[in-house]
Amino acid sequence: MYQNRAPLPKEYGAFAVQVFQFAQQKDPIALKIIQQQVEWVSQYLDALIAKGAQKIVLVGGVSEAILSYLPERFLTYFCPPQGDAMAGAILMAKAQIGRKAI
């Protein structure tokens, strides 16, 4: 029997490539979808900057594709990652251990 469930990120990702391809052809629906995502991402970026972020790394399947659609005011904050997700998890774990040890 079919179970109602939320789509997995990889399932969204399968369509994301097509959305960006259609946007390059000036498809109005694809452009609307991307604009909605730009607004959402911009809210998060503004929140990070308001909290003092100096450098921001975009990661994920559409991070490179959406970059050209984001407002220019964010460009000075973007930098390449200094490691992968595992390296970040290890740094976060070390920071947690350090806080509890104090």
Side-chain angles (χ1 to χ4, degrees):
M1 178 177 242
Y2 174 76
Q3 292 182 342
N4 192 9
R5 65 169 178 79
L8 299 172
K10 68 179 182 179
E11 293 168 329
Y12 283 115
F15 291 106
V17 172
Q18 291 178 340
V19 170
F20 283 98
Q21 288 172 345
F22 282 111
Q24 287 178 342
Q25 299 169 15
K26 307 295 185 213
D27 179 84
I29 295 171
L31 290 169
K32 175 88 172 157
I33 291 169
I34 291 173
Q35 184 55 42
Q36 288 173 342
Q37 289 305 304
V38 164
E39 290 172 15
W40 183 77
V41 170
S42 294
Q43 288 177 16
Y44 277 98
L45 293 171
D46 283 333
L48 289 170
I49 292 166
K51 292 201 175 277
Q54 301 290 317
K55 296 179 182 179
I56 299 172
V57 177
L58 293 181
V59 296
V62 298
S63 60
E64 287 185 33
I66 203 165
L67 188 62
S68 64
Y69 293 92
L70 292 172
E72 286 186 29
R73 70 178 189 268
F74 297 123
L75 297 181
T76 59
Y77 292 93
F78 297 138
C79 63
Q82 295 180 355
D84 61 11
M86 183 61 75
I90 291 169
L91 285 174
M92 289 174 63
K94 285 181 179 179
Q96 276 300 67
I97 291 169
R99 282 190 217 145
K100 291 179 181 177
I102 294 176

